[in-house]
Amino acid sequence: MSVVAVITARGGSKRIPGKNKKEFLGKPIICYSIEAALSSGLFDEVMVSTDDEEIAEIARKAGASVPFMRSEAAANDFATTDDVLMEVLEEYEKRGKEFQYMACLYPTAPFITAKKLKEAFRLLVENHASGVMPVVKFSFPPQRGMAVRNGRLEYCYPENAMKRSQDLETMYHDCGQFYFYDVKKYRACRGDLEDGYVPLPMPETEVQDIDSLMDWKLAEIKYRMMGG
């Protein structure tokens, strides 16, 4: 059983320049994903897909491999994560290497831990699933959300306006941290999994999108709360 961890870390970042190599509580933020993958003991290879030589050097020093650089086509603003993962699998195949399972880790996800990766892998294998996704509950029911229309607030779903929160279906969203895949199933549909993902619920205190400097500060606060 062969398993690869792919950390997707391109050089460009408009909202936070140098985001993937910026220091997060004393070390480049990408190192957290690398260290979690390595310490899990799950992977035959922990690799970083990047188009940036400085990121590649940081990754190598942290113990990851960078067997090839990301192509220009997979590094532009319109390339998707699936484009990157497919390129990685195809490049390994050219080198005579194939994997049964794959984890995709984002480089700005310091809340990833070896324990979470192990649990996701267990769920994947035991459920014979195509994929596993960490998710978190919305802090407020989206069914009672409002939009601004003609300068006034209106309920998007008026039928839910007076319903109690506990009477509405619990809804989740992607944590934006990592995914686990059965490679054969993933490649067959280029990531559009026909049977969907098995969920791995996460606490809100260990989830933070990092798209601004304020997000970055909040992530550092939450990380300290987590005991990191």
Side-chain angles (χ1 to χ4, degrees):
M1 185 164 60
S2 54
V3 192
V4 62
V6 181
I7 300 167
T8 58
R10 75 182 184 120
S13 177
K14 293 182 171 61
R15 286 174 288 194
I16 303 178
K19 176 180 175 180
N20 292 332
K21 53 194 173 187
K22 180 177 169 65
E23 282 207 358
F24 182 92
L25 296 176
K27 60 186 173 186
I29 194 166
I30 190 176
C31 292
Y32 292 84
S33 296
I34 294 171
E35 290 167 6
L38 290 171
S39 62
S40 74
L42 290 172
F43 303 102
D44 298 281
E45 183 146 9
V46 175
M47 70 87 68
V48 171
S49 169
T50 186
D51 59 327
D52 184 295
E53 187 51 51
E54 189 175 349
I55 290 175
E57 187 57 28
I58 291 169
R60 294 185 188 103
K61 286 180 179 177
S65 66
V66 187
F68 43 83
M69 299 298 283
R70 189 185 302 189
S71 71
E72 187 177 339
N76 63 52
D77 290 340
F78 302 101
T80 66
T81 298
D82 289 326
D83 292 333
V84 175
L85 295 179
M86 290 298 292
E87 178 180 84
V88 166
L89 293 172
E90 288 164 6
E91 285 297 325
Y92 271 118
E93 194 171 52
K94 291 175 187 175
R95 290 161 170 75
K97 239 178 180 180
E98 295 187 19
F99 300 96
Q100 187 175 356
Y101 299 105
M102 169 179 65
C104 168
L105 285 69
Y106 286 138
T108 53
F111 301 103
I112 298 175
T113 63
K115 182 179 179 180
K116 292 173 183 176
L117 291 170
K118 289 177 182 178
E119 178 61 12
F121 187 57
R122 183 190 68 79
L123 288 171
L124 183 75
V125 174
E126 290 185 3
N127 287 280
H128 305 285
S130 297
V132 173
M133 178 191 296
V135 294
V136 62
K137 291 191 293 186
F138 280 95
S139 57
F140 184 86
Q143 300 97 319
R144 289 177 56 194
M146 293 179 278
V148 178
R149 295 168 180 162
N150 299 317
R152 297 292 185 273
L153 287 169
E154 291 183 19
Y155 282 101
C156 297
Y157 309 100
E159 66 274 17
N160 296 322
M162 296 298 113
K163 287 183 180 178
R164 301 183 306 167
S165 297
Q166 57 265 43
D167 294 331
L168 296 170
E169 183 180 22
T170 300
M171 294 181 70
Y172 298 83
H173 64 86
D174 181 1
C175 288
Q177 295 181 3
F178 70 92
Y179 313 95
F180 240 113
Y181 296 107
D182 177 299
V183 170
K184 185 176 181 180
K185 294 176 181 177
Y186 176 87
R187 292 189 75 176
C189 59
R190 289 190 65 90
D192 186 15
L193 306 184
E194 294 179 2
D195 57 345
Y197 290 83
V198 172
L200 176 61
M202 295 288 167
E204 191 176 353
T205 52
E206 297 179 16
V207 176
Q208 179 63 52
D209 282 336
I210 304 180
D211 292 322
S212 68
L213 291 176
M214 179 57 72
D215 292 339
W216 194 281
K217 291 176 183 177
L218 286 171
E220 289 182 329
I221 291 169
K222 287 184 176 183
Y223 187 82
R224 290 191 180 102
M225 287 172 57
M226 195 174 81

mmCIF file of all heavy atoms in Angstrom, residues 92-127:
data_model
loop_
_atom_site.group_PDB
_atom_site.id
_atom_site.type_symbol
_atom_site.label_atom_id
_atom_site.label_comp_id
_atom_site.label_asym_id
_atom_site.label_seq_id
_atom_site.Cartn_x
_atom_site.Cartn_y
_atom_site.Cartn_z
ATOM 1 N N TYR A 92 4.809 11.537 -11.588
ATOM 2 C CA TYR A 92 5.323 10.357 -10.877
ATOM 3 C C TYR A 92 5.215 9.112 -11.759
ATOM 4 O O TYR A 92 6.110 8.263 -11.774
ATOM 5 C CB TYR A 92 4.561 10.143 -9.571
ATOM 6 C CG TYR A 92 5.157 10.870 -8.394
ATOM 7 C CD1 TYR A 92 4.433 11.850 -7.710
ATOM 8 C CD2 TYR A 92 6.441 10.573 -7.932
ATOM 9 C CE1 TYR A 92 4.981 12.517 -6.622
ATOM 10 C CE2 TYR A 92 6.997 11.225 -6.856
ATOM 11 C CZ TYR A 92 6.259 12.197 -6.201
ATOM 12 O OH TYR A 92 6.805 12.855 -5.114
ATOM 13 N N GLU A 93 4.109 9.016 -12.475
ATOM 14 C CA GLU A 93 3.903 7.868 -13.353
ATOM 15 C C GLU A 93 5.006 7.789 -14.408
ATOM 16 O O GLU A 93 5.503 6.702 -14.734
ATOM 17 C CB GLU A 93 2.531 7.968 -14.011
ATOM 18 C CG GLU A 93 2.063 6.687 -14.674
ATOM 19 C CD GLU A 93 0.609 6.780 -15.115
ATOM 20 O OE1 GLU A 93 0.255 7.755 -15.813
ATOM 21 O OE2 GLU A 93 -0.164 5.875 -14.757
ATOM 22 N N LYS A 94 5.400 8.951 -14.944
ATOM 23 C CA LYS A 94 6.497 8.985 -15.922
ATOM 24 C C LYS A 94 7.790 8.452 -15.325
ATOM 25 O O LYS A 94 8.651 7.923 -16.035
ATOM 26 C CB LYS A 94 6.725 10.417 -16.417
ATOM 27 C CG LYS A 94 5.618 10.970 -17.288
ATOM 28 C CD LYS A 94 5.901 12.426 -17.622
ATOM 29 C CE LYS A 94 4.727 13.070 -18.363
ATOM 30 N NZ LYS A 94 4.977 14.527 -18.580
ATOM 31 N N ARG A 95 7.924 8.611 -14.011
ATOM 32 C CA ARG A 95 9.129 8.165 -13.315
ATOM 33 C C ARG A 95 8.976 6.747 -12.766
ATOM 34 O O ARG A 95 9.794 6.279 -11.981
ATOM 35 C CB ARG A 95 9.457 9.140 -12.180
ATOM 36 C CG ARG A 95 9.928 10.494 -12.674
ATOM 37 C CD ARG A 95 9.809 11.573 -11.593
ATOM 38 N NE ARG A 95 10.462 12.811 -11.966
ATOM 39 C CZ ARG A 95 10.003 13.692 -12.846
ATOM 40 N NH1 ARG A 95 8.859 13.456 -13.469
ATOM 41 N NH2 ARG A 95 10.677 14.796 -13.131
ATOM 42 N N GLY A 96 7.880 6.088 -13.171
ATOM 43 C CA GLY A 96 7.662 4.707 -12.761
ATOM 44 C C GLY A 96 7.135 4.532 -11.356
ATOM 45 O O GLY A 96 7.274 3.463 -10.753
ATOM 46 N N LYS A 97 6.502 5.586 -10.811
ATOM 47 C CA LYS A 97 6.000 5.540 -9.444
ATOM 48 C C LYS A 97 4.495 5.740 -9.439
ATOM 49 O O LYS A 97 3.997 6.703 -10.015
ATOM 50 C CB LYS A 97 6.658 6.642 -8.611
ATOM 51 C CG LYS A 97 7.422 6.152 -7.405
ATOM 52 C CD LYS A 97 8.072 7.312 -6.685
ATOM 53 C CE LYS A 97 8.843 6.785 -5.483
ATOM 54 N NZ LYS A 97 9.490 7.870 -4.743
ATOM 55 N N GLU A 98 3.774 4.836 -8.786
ATOM 56 C CA GLU A 98 2.328 4.969 -8.656
ATOM 57 C C GLU A 98 1.935 4.812 -7.191
ATOM 58 O O GLU A 98 2.621 4.141 -6.423
ATOM 59 C CB GLU A 98 1.608 3.939 -9.525
ATOM 60 C CG GLU A 98 1.828 4.157 -11.020
ATOM 61 C CD GLU A 98 0.982 3.226 -11.870
ATOM 62 O OE1 GLU A 98 -0.012 2.680 -11.339
ATOM 63 O OE2 GLU A 98 1.319 3.049 -13.055
ATOM 64 N N PHE A 99 0.820 5.446 -6.820
ATOM 65 C CA PHE A 99 0.359 5.426 -5.436
ATOM 66 C C PHE A 99 -1.087 4.956 -5.366
ATOM 67 O O PHE A 99 -1.884 5.223 -6.260
ATOM 68 C CB PHE A 99 0.476 6.822 -4.820
ATOM 69 C CG PHE A 99 1.879 7.352 -4.798
ATOM 70 C CD1 PHE A 99 2.341 8.192 -5.811
ATOM 71 C CD2 PHE A 99 2.758 7.001 -3.780
ATOM 72 C CE1 PHE A 99 3.634 8.679 -5.803
ATOM 73 C CE2 PHE A 99 4.060 7.485 -3.763
ATOM 74 C CZ PHE A 99 4.499 8.320 -4.781
ATOM 75 N N GLN A 100 -1.404 4.282 -4.272
ATOM 76 C CA GLN A 100 -2.769 3.810 -4.069
ATOM 77 C C GLN A 100 -3.637 4.892 -3.415
ATOM 78 O O GLN A 100 -4.817 5.033 -3.719
ATOM 79 C CB GLN A 100 -2.764 2.555 -3.188
ATOM 80 C CG GLN A 100 -4.125 1.891 -3.055
ATOM 81 C CD GLN A 100 -4.048 0.585 -2.283
ATOM 82 O OE1 GLN A 100 -2.969 0.126 -1.909
ATOM 83 N NE2 GLN A 100 -5.197 -0.014 -2.021
ATOM 84 N N TYR A 101 -3.018 5.650 -2.507
ATOM 85 C CA TYR A 101 -3.736 6.709 -1.805
ATOM 86 C C TYR A 101 -2.937 8.010 -1.866
ATOM 87 O O TYR A 101 -1.706 7.992 -1.963
ATOM 88 C CB TYR A 101 -3.975 6.333 -0.337
ATOM 89 C CG TYR A 101 -4.815 5.091 -0.155
ATOM 90 C CD1 TYR A 101 -4.221 3.882 0.229
ATOM 91 C CD2 TYR A 101 -6.188 5.118 -0.371
ATOM 92 C CE1 TYR A 101 -4.987 2.740 0.401
ATOM 93 C CE2 TYR A 101 -6.964 3.974 -0.202
ATOM 94 C CZ TYR A 101 -6.356 2.791 0.180
ATOM 95 O OH TYR A 101 -7.119 1.657 0.338
ATOM 96 N N MET A 102 -3.662 9.119 -1.776
ATOM 97 C CA MET A 102 -3.022 10.438 -1.849
ATOM 98 C C MET A 102 -3.710 11.399 -0.884
ATOM 99 O O MET A 102 -4.941 11.448 -0.810
ATOM 100 C CB MET A 102 -3.120 10.988 -3.273
ATOM 101 C CG MET A 102 -2.719 12.450 -3.420
ATOM 102 S SD MET A 102 -2.831 13.024 -5.148
ATOM 103 C CE MET A 102 -4.618 12.906 -5.449
ATOM 104 N N ALA A 103 -2.906 12.173 -0.179
ATOM 105 C CA ALA A 103 -3.434 13.280 0.620
ATOM 106 C C ALA A 103 -2.971 14.571 -0.023
ATOM 107 O O ALA A 103 -1.811 14.696 -0.428
ATOM 108 C CB ALA A 103 -2.933 13.209 2.053
ATOM 109 N N CYS A 104 -3.875 15.510 -0.135
ATOM 110 C CA CYS A 104 -3.543 16.855 -0.608
ATOM 111 C C CYS A 104 -3.600 17.765 0.611
ATOM 112 O O CYS A 104 -4.647 17.902 1.245
ATOM 113 C CB CYS A 104 -4.546 17.311 -1.660
ATOM 114 S SG CYS A 104 -4.419 19.080 -2.042
ATOM 115 N N LEU A 105 -2.461 18.370 0.948
ATOM 116 C CA LEU A 105 -2.386 19.275 2.087
ATOM 117 C C LEU A 105 -2.131 20.685 1.587
ATOM 118 O O LEU A 105 -1.278 20.903 0.707
ATOM 119 C CB LEU A 105 -1.251 18.887 3.037
ATOM 120 C CG LEU A 105 -1.433 17.674 3.954
ATOM 121 C CD1 LEU A 105 -1.454 16.377 3.150
ATOM 122 C CD2 LEU A 105 -0.316 17.626 4.985
ATOM 123 N N TYR A 106 -2.852 21.644 2.151
ATOM 124 C CA TYR A 106 -2.584 23.039 1.805
ATOM 125 C C TYR A 106 -1.421 23.555 2.648
ATOM 126 O O TYR A 106 -1.236 23.140 3.800
ATOM 127 C CB TYR A 106 -3.837 23.885 2.002
ATOM 128 C CG TYR A 106 -4.881 23.656 0.931
ATOM 129 C CD1 TYR A 106 -6.233 23.559 1.256
ATOM 130 C CD2 TYR A 106 -4.527 23.509 -0.404
ATOM 131 C CE1 TYR A 106 -7.196 23.344 0.280
ATOM 132 C CE2 TYR A 106 -5.483 23.290 -1.379
ATOM 133 C CZ TYR A 106 -6.812 23.207 -1.036
ATOM 134 O OH TYR A 106 -7.756 22.987 -2.008
ATOM 135 N N PRO A 107 -0.632 24.472 2.099
ATOM 136 C CA PRO A 107 0.574 24.937 2.789
ATOM 137 C C PRO A 107 0.308 25.968 3.885
ATOM 138 O O PRO A 107 1.188 26.251 4.683
ATOM 139 C CB PRO A 107 1.400 25.551 1.658
ATOM 140 C CG PRO A 107 0.371 26.030 0.687
ATOM 141 C CD PRO A 107 -0.735 25.024 0.735
ATOM 142 N N THR A 108 -0.901 26.533 3.901
ATOM 143 C CA THR A 108 -1.232 27.528 4.938
ATOM 144 C C THR A 108 -2.299 26.950 5.857
ATOM 145 O O THR A 108 -3.362 27.527 6.047
ATOM 146 C CB THR A 108 -1.718 28.841 4.303
ATOM 147 O OG1 THR A 108 -2.792 28.554 3.394
ATOM 148 C CG2 THR A 108 -0.597 29.533 3.553
ATOM 149 N N ALA A 109 -2.004 25.783 6.415
ATOM 150 C CA ALA A 109 -2.967 25.074 7.265
ATOM 151 C C ALA A 109 -2.254 24.547 8.509
ATOM 152 O O ALA A 109 -2.056 23.340 8.666
ATOM 153 C CB ALA A 109 -3.620 23.935 6.487
ATOM 154 N N PRO A 110 -1.861 25.448 9.417
ATOM 155 C CA PRO A 110 -1.101 25.011 10.596
ATOM 156 C C PRO A 110 -1.892 24.145 11.563
ATOM 157 O O PRO A 110 -1.307 23.549 12.475
ATOM 158 C CB PRO A 110 -0.708 26.346 11.258
ATOM 159 C CG PRO A 110 -1.733 27.327 10.798
ATOM 160 C CD PRO A 110 -2.064 26.901 9.397
ATOM 161 N N PHE A 111 -3.210 24.042 11.370
ATOM 162 C CA PHE A 111 -4.029 23.237 12.266
ATOM 163 C C PHE A 111 -4.048 21.760 11.883
ATOM 164 O O PHE A 111 -4.642 20.949 12.592
ATOM 165 C CB PHE A 111 -5.463 23.789 12.297
ATOM 166 C CG PHE A 111 -5.534 25.219 12.759
ATOM 167 C CD1 PHE A 111 -5.729 26.242 11.849
ATOM 168 C CD2 PHE A 111 -5.353 25.545 14.090
ATOM 169 C CE1 PHE A 111 -5.772 27.569 12.262
ATOM 170 C CE2 PHE A 111 -5.395 26.863 14.520
ATOM 171 C CZ PHE A 111 -5.608 27.881 13.605
ATOM 172 N N ILE A 112 -3.419 21.407 10.768
ATOM 173 C CA ILE A 112 -3.294 19.991 10.412
ATOM 174 C C ILE A 112 -2.381 19.322 11.432
ATOM 175 O O ILE A 112 -1.334 19.856 11.791
ATOM 176 C CB ILE A 112 -2.695 19.807 9.006
ATOM 177 C CG1 ILE A 112 -3.592 20.425 7.936
ATOM 178 C CG2 ILE A 112 -2.494 18.323 8.697
ATOM 179 C CD1 ILE A 112 -2.991 20.386 6.542
ATOM 180 N N THR A 113 -2.803 18.156 11.902
ATOM 181 C CA THR A 113 -1.966 17.375 12.813
ATOM 182 C C THR A 113 -1.841 15.951 12.300
ATOM 183 O O THR A 113 -2.647 15.501 11.480
ATOM 184 C CB THR A 113 -2.572 17.321 14.235
ATOM 185 O OG1 THR A 113 -3.834 16.639 14.171
ATOM 186 C CG2 THR A 113 -2.773 18.721 14.814
ATOM 187 N N ALA A 114 -0.839 15.254 12.804
ATOM 188 C CA ALA A 114 -0.668 13.845 12.438
ATOM 189 C C ALA A 114 -1.898 13.039 12.830
ATOM 190 O O ALA A 114 -2.346 12.152 12.094
ATOM 191 C CB ALA A 114 0.577 13.283 13.120
ATOM 192 N N LYS A 115 -2.483 13.358 13.966
ATOM 193 C CA LYS A 115 -3.670 12.647 14.448
ATOM 194 C C LYS A 115 -4.838 12.797 13.479
ATOM 195 O O LYS A 115 -5.547 11.827 13.183
ATOM 196 C CB LYS A 115 -4.059 13.166 15.835
ATOM 197 C CG LYS A 115 -5.248 12.451 16.448
ATOM 198 C CD LYS A 115 -5.565 13.012 17.832
ATOM 199 C CE LYS A 115 -6.786 12.318 18.443
ATOM 200 N NZ LYS A 115 -7.103 12.871 19.789
ATOM 201 N N LYS A 116 -5.049 14.000 12.974
ATOM 202 C CA LYS A 116 -6.146 14.245 12.034
ATOM 203 C C LYS A 116 -5.915 13.499 10.727
ATOM 204 O O LYS A 116 -6.849 12.946 10.142
ATOM 205 C CB LYS A 116 -6.292 15.743 11.779
ATOM 206 C CG LYS A 116 -6.787 16.526 12.980
ATOM 207 C CD LYS A 116 -6.756 18.029 12.720
ATOM 208 C CE LYS A 116 -7.176 18.805 13.964
ATOM 209 N NZ LYS A 116 -7.071 20.269 13.773
ATOM 210 N N LEU A 117 -4.677 13.482 10.266
ATOM 211 C CA LEU A 117 -4.362 12.765 9.037
ATOM 212 C C LEU A 117 -4.597 11.265 9.206
ATOM 213 O O LEU A 117 -5.147 10.601 8.320
ATOM 214 C CB LEU A 117 -2.913 13.029 8.630
ATOM 215 C CG LEU A 117 -2.596 14.447 8.147
ATOM 216 C CD1 LEU A 117 -1.085 14.637 8.018
ATOM 217 C CD2 LEU A 117 -3.283 14.754 6.816
ATOM 218 N N LYS A 118 -4.202 10.734 10.346
ATOM 219 C CA LYS A 118 -4.412 9.301 10.612
ATOM 220 C C LYS A 118 -5.901 8.957 10.657
ATOM 221 O O LYS A 118 -6.326 7.927 10.138
ATOM 222 C CB LYS A 118 -3.739 8.912 11.932
ATOM 223 C CG LYS A 118 -2.224 8.884 11.887
ATOM 224 C CD LYS A 118 -1.668 8.552 13.261
ATOM 225 C CE LYS A 118 -0.151 8.553 13.257
ATOM 226 N NZ LYS A 118 0.403 8.269 14.611
ATOM 227 N N GLU A 119 -6.682 9.826 11.276
ATOM 228 C CA GLU A 119 -8.118 9.573 11.364
ATOM 229 C C GLU A 119 -8.766 9.625 9.984
ATOM 230 O O GLU A 119 -9.643 8.822 9.657
ATOM 231 C CB GLU A 119 -8.761 10.590 12.307
ATOM 232 C CG GLU A 119 -10.278 10.465 12.451
ATOM 233 C CD GLU A 119 -10.748 9.131 13.011
ATOM 234 O OE1 GLU A 119 -9.916 8.335 13.515
ATOM 235 O OE2 GLU A 119 -11.964 8.877 12.958
ATOM 236 N N ALA A 120 -8.348 10.598 9.173
ATOM 237 C CA ALA A 120 -8.884 10.710 7.817
ATOM 238 C C ALA A 120 -8.542 9.470 6.991
ATOM 239 O O ALA A 120 -9.387 8.946 6.252
ATOM 240 C CB ALA A 120 -8.335 11.960 7.140
ATOM 241 N N PHE A 121 -7.326 8.997 7.135
ATOM 242 C CA PHE A 121 -6.907 7.811 6.392
ATOM 243 C C PHE A 121 -7.699 6.581 6.841
ATOM 244 O O PHE A 121 -8.119 5.755 6.025
ATOM 245 C CB PHE A 121 -5.408 7.584 6.570
ATOM 246 C CG PHE A 121 -4.851 6.477 5.717
ATOM 247 C CD1 PHE A 121 -4.985 6.505 4.334
ATOM 248 C CD2 PHE A 121 -4.196 5.405 6.289
ATOM 249 C CE1 PHE A 121 -4.473 5.483 3.543
ATOM 250 C CE2 PHE A 121 -3.677 4.382 5.509
ATOM 251 C CZ PHE A 121 -3.818 4.421 4.138
ATOM 252 N N ARG A 122 -7.928 6.472 8.137
ATOM 253 C CA ARG A 122 -8.730 5.356 8.656
ATOM 254 C C ARG A 122 -10.139 5.379 8.060
ATOM 255 O O ARG A 122 -10.657 4.343 7.620
ATOM 256 C CB ARG A 122 -8.811 5.428 10.187
ATOM 257 C CG ARG A 122 -9.565 4.264 10.820
ATOM 258 C CD ARG A 122 -9.824 4.497 12.301
ATOM 259 N NE ARG A 122 -10.773 5.575 12.531
ATOM 260 C CZ ARG A 122 -12.086 5.457 12.411
ATOM 261 N NH1 ARG A 122 -12.630 4.304 12.044
ATOM 262 N NH2 ARG A 122 -12.883 6.491 12.645
ATOM 263 N N LEU A 123 -10.747 6.560 8.034
ATOM 264 C CA LEU A 123 -12.092 6.688 7.470
ATOM 265 C C LEU A 123 -12.113 6.319 5.990
ATOM 266 O O LEU A 123 -13.042 5.667 5.511
ATOM 267 C CB LEU A 123 -12.596 8.123 7.657
ATOM 268 C CG LEU A 123 -12.973 8.535 9.076
ATOM 269 C CD1 LEU A 123 -13.241 10.032 9.129
ATOM 270 C CD2 LEU A 123 -14.193 7.763 9.564
ATOM 271 N N LEU A 124 -11.087 6.734 5.263
ATOM 272 C CA LEU A 124 -11.003 6.443 3.837
ATOM 273 C C LEU A 124 -10.964 4.946 3.582
ATOM 274 O O LEU A 124 -11.731 4.414 2.768
ATOM 275 C CB LEU A 124 -9.750 7.111 3.250
ATOM 276 C CG LEU A 124 -9.547 6.973 1.748
ATOM 277 C CD1 LEU A 124 -10.503 7.887 0.987
ATOM 278 C CD2 LEU A 124 -8.104 7.294 1.358
ATOM 279 N N VAL A 125 -10.077 4.264 4.290
ATOM 280 C CA VAL A 125 -9.873 2.836 4.062
ATOM 281 C C VAL A 125 -11.058 2.014 4.563
ATOM 282 O O VAL A 125 -11.566 1.133 3.858
ATOM 283 C CB VAL A 125 -8.561 2.370 4.732
ATOM 284 C CG1 VAL A 125 -8.413 0.854 4.625
ATOM 285 C CG2 VAL A 125 -7.356 3.071 4.090
ATOM 286 N N GLU A 126 -11.523 2.302 5.774
ATOM 287 C CA GLU A 126 -12.603 1.500 6.362
ATOM 288 C C GLU A 126 -13.921 1.665 5.623
ATOM 289 O O GLU A 126 -14.751 0.754 5.605
ATOM 290 C CB GLU A 126 -12.767 1.858 7.842
ATOM 291 C CG GLU A 126 -11.615 1.379 8.707
ATOM 292 C CD GLU A 126 -11.841 1.627 10.186
ATOM 293 O OE1 GLU A 126 -12.933 2.135 10.560
ATOM 294 O OE2 GLU A 126 -10.927 1.309 10.974
ATOM 295 N N ASN A 127 -14.127 2.839 5.017
ATOM 296 C CA ASN A 127 -15.374 3.083 4.287
ATOM 297 C C ASN A 127 -15.255 2.787 2.795
ATOM 298 O O ASN A 127 -16.220 2.984 2.048
ATOM 299 C CB ASN A 127 -15.812 4.534 4.476
ATOM 300 C CG ASN A 127 -16.344 4.816 5.857
ATOM 301 O OD1 ASN A 127 -17.495 4.512 6.162
ATOM 302 N ND2 ASN A 127 -15.508 5.378 6.717
#
